[in-house]
Amino acid sequence: MSESQEYHLKVPMEFDFQQNLNYLLRESNEVMYQIEGQKITRVVEIDNLLILIRLSYKEAYLRISILNEVHLTEEQVAKLLIFVEDFFDLTRDLKPFYQLAKADPILKNVASQFYGLRLMGVPDFFEAISWGILGQQITLSFAYTLKRRLVERFGEKISYHGQVYWAFPTAAVIADADMADLLALKLSRRKCEYLQEVARLILSGQISKEAYLSMADTETVEKAMTTIRGIGPWTANYVMMRCFRLGEAFPTADVGLLNALKVVQGLPEKPTQSSLLHLKKCWGQWCGYSTFYLWRLLY
DNA sequence: CACCAGGACTCGG
DNA sequence: CCGAGTCATGGT
């Protein structure tokens, strides 16, 4: 009988567990995690090993409980903790963001309304890029439905106490999937092609999170990513923001962002791209956080 | 019923 | 380079 394994991570100052929980709760059709009470349960994949973890919060610490029977090496435990840190973006110091927001008419109110909210991450590269592709053009609720179908058709699962928890499909599985099976999920043919192409590029090592992270700046990464079919400026910036954690990432064409800016500024129309370039200069390293906070006004 | 959704590709000028 | 059409489906 193995005892349940537990680990703890101290959270930084500018952290409000409830704000992050509220963000995770905003979409009831989400398939990548479940929330019961004040606890988040999800699967994490480390070295091809599926780990079921439950996250809770107490007195400035995140508690990570491992629910399934796995034996982890020290190195794997370290990777798991890094995953959780990345998920909540714990290593970033948000003081400069709130400093900036205090003097910014657009950010002032949202920053205090959602104080302690972290830019929740999608650490897995294939998941992040797939989610970007799925989210193109269609309504968010439909995108969540497509993701659920994709995950429940091609992902692996862990059952625990009558609940089912899913891991996102691996690039290998999607690369080998039959086009007909992908089409049956009601993705457009183009999106199926994009997903398979990306999966194959990852499998062959032609693209990787590590390689993109080693690039000099967001412009270089964006230029490299947008050469891939199906990845335009929006998707590239979305992935840079949620997965690569580049503060300057800024999906300036994002409809949600434009609508939020319109509301906050009381504009008659959506803001122009030139006004977004101005915001990019003002917000610098905090474009991603600004976007994430503004999204919270809508969803 | 028309229109738009957390876009990007394709093709004609 | 630039504008218009196309894509799948679901919600309003």
Side-chain angles (χ1 to χ4, degrees):
Chain A
M1 289 287 105
S2 69
E3 250 171 69
S4 75
Q5 305 164 68
E6 276 191 14
Y7 303 94
H8 294 83
L9 279 176
K10 189 160 175 54
V11 302
M13 282 299 292
E14 293 75 18
F15 179 91
D16 183 333
F17 187 68
Q18 190 60 49
Q19 288 289 357
N20 296 293
L21 211 52
N22 290 346
Y23 165 75
L24 296 175
L25 281 165
R26 84 202 180 291
E27 174 57 51
S28 57
N29 201 17
E30 174 62 62
V31 66
M32 297 312 298
Y33 44 79
Q34 292 188 35
I35 298 174
E36 296 112 338
Q38 301 289 103
K39 298 176 185 198
I40 305 155
T41 310
R42 64 166 296 162
V43 176
V44 178
E45 185 170 349
I46 306 282
D47 301 340
N48 297 319
L49 197 59
L50 297 186
I51 307 168
L52 184 65
I53 61 169
R54 181 158 287 164
L55 302 165
S56 54
Y57 175 80
K58 193 177 180 187
E59 293 165 3
Y61 281 89
L62 277 175
R63 181 173 62 189
I64 302 137
S65 309
I66 298 180
L67 304 182
N68 60 336
E69 303 263 339
V70 283
H71 180 72
L72 301 180
T73 64
E74 272 183 45
E75 194 184 346
Q76 288 169 333
V77 170
K79 286 183 185 175
L80 176 62
L81 296 183
I82 286 173
F83 180 94
V84 176
E85 276 184 352
D86 197 1
F87 188 43
F88 286 100
D89 199 27
L90 294 182
T91 56
R92 196 178 307 265
D93 178 10
L94 291 193
K95 285 188 194 73
F97 174 57
Y98 293 126
Q99 201 66 34
L100 170 76
K102 214 186 319 181
D104 187 298
I106 296 174
L107 299 178
K108 195 174 192 267
N109 289 335
V110 279
S112 64
Q113 187 180 347
F114 301 108
Y115 186 87
L117 172 67
R118 298 268 152 180
L119 204 173
M120 299 297 293
V122 182
D124 179 70
F125 179 44
F126 183 57
E127 179 184 340
I129 207 162
S130 300
W131 179 227
I133 289 168
L134 289 180
Q136 290 167 11
Q137 175 58 17
I138 54 180
T139 57
L140 260 185
S141 64
F142 182 42
Y144 278 105
T145 298
L146 290 178
K147 180 165 77 166
R148 174 175 291 281
R149 288 178 190 158
L150 182 75
V151 169
E152 293 183 348
R153 172 65 184 77
F154 295 104
E156 286 194 66
K157 65 183 171 191
I158 294 181
S159 298
Y160 179 81
H161 288 202
Q163 291 272 5
V164 178
Y165 302 90
W166 292 93
F168 197 81
T170 61
V173 168
I174 298 303
D176 281 345
D178 285 338
M179 177 59 79
D181 292 337
L182 286 168
L183 286 170
L185 308 176
K186 304 303 180 186
L187 281 86
S188 63
R189 179 172 290 275
R190 282 246 177 94
K191 281 184 175 150
C192 296
E193 291 167 2
Y194 298 162
L195 285 180
Q196 288 205 304
E197 178 63 12
V198 166
R200 286 166 187 158
L201 289 171
I202 290 175
L203 266 190
S204 69
Q206 289 175 267
I207 64 172
S208 70
K209 184 172 177 176
E210 293 70 30
Y212 286 127
L213 284 176
S214 74
M215 292 180 181
D217 50 45
T218 55
E219 278 181 36
T220 310
V221 179
E222 180 174 340
K223 201 166 282 183
M225 290 188 80
T226 51
T227 62
I228 301 166
R229 199 159 164 269
I231 310 224
W234 178 85
T235 309
N237 279 275
Y238 185 84
V239 172
M240 289 192 281
M241 180 176 151
R242 302 291 305 275
C243 185
F244 300 165
R245 302 323 213 142
L246 301 176
E248 283 183 18
F250 198 29
T252 56
D254 183 87
V255 183
L257 174 64
L258 298 178
N259 283 335
L261 285 170
K262 179 181 166 208
V263 170
V264 170
Q265 299 180 100
L267 305 172
E269 302 292 337
K270 288 176 189 169
T272 62
Q273 280 303 300
S274 73
S275 73
L276 272 111
L277 284 180
H278 174 68
L279 290 178
K280 187 172 169 63
K281 277 180 30 188
C282 296
W283 292 346
Q285 289 297 320
W286 299 104
C287 285
Y289 260 86
S290 301
T291 301
F292 198 68
Y293 271 59
L294 287 165
W295 278 342
R296 292 297 289 120
L297 293 173
L298 304 175
Y299 313 114

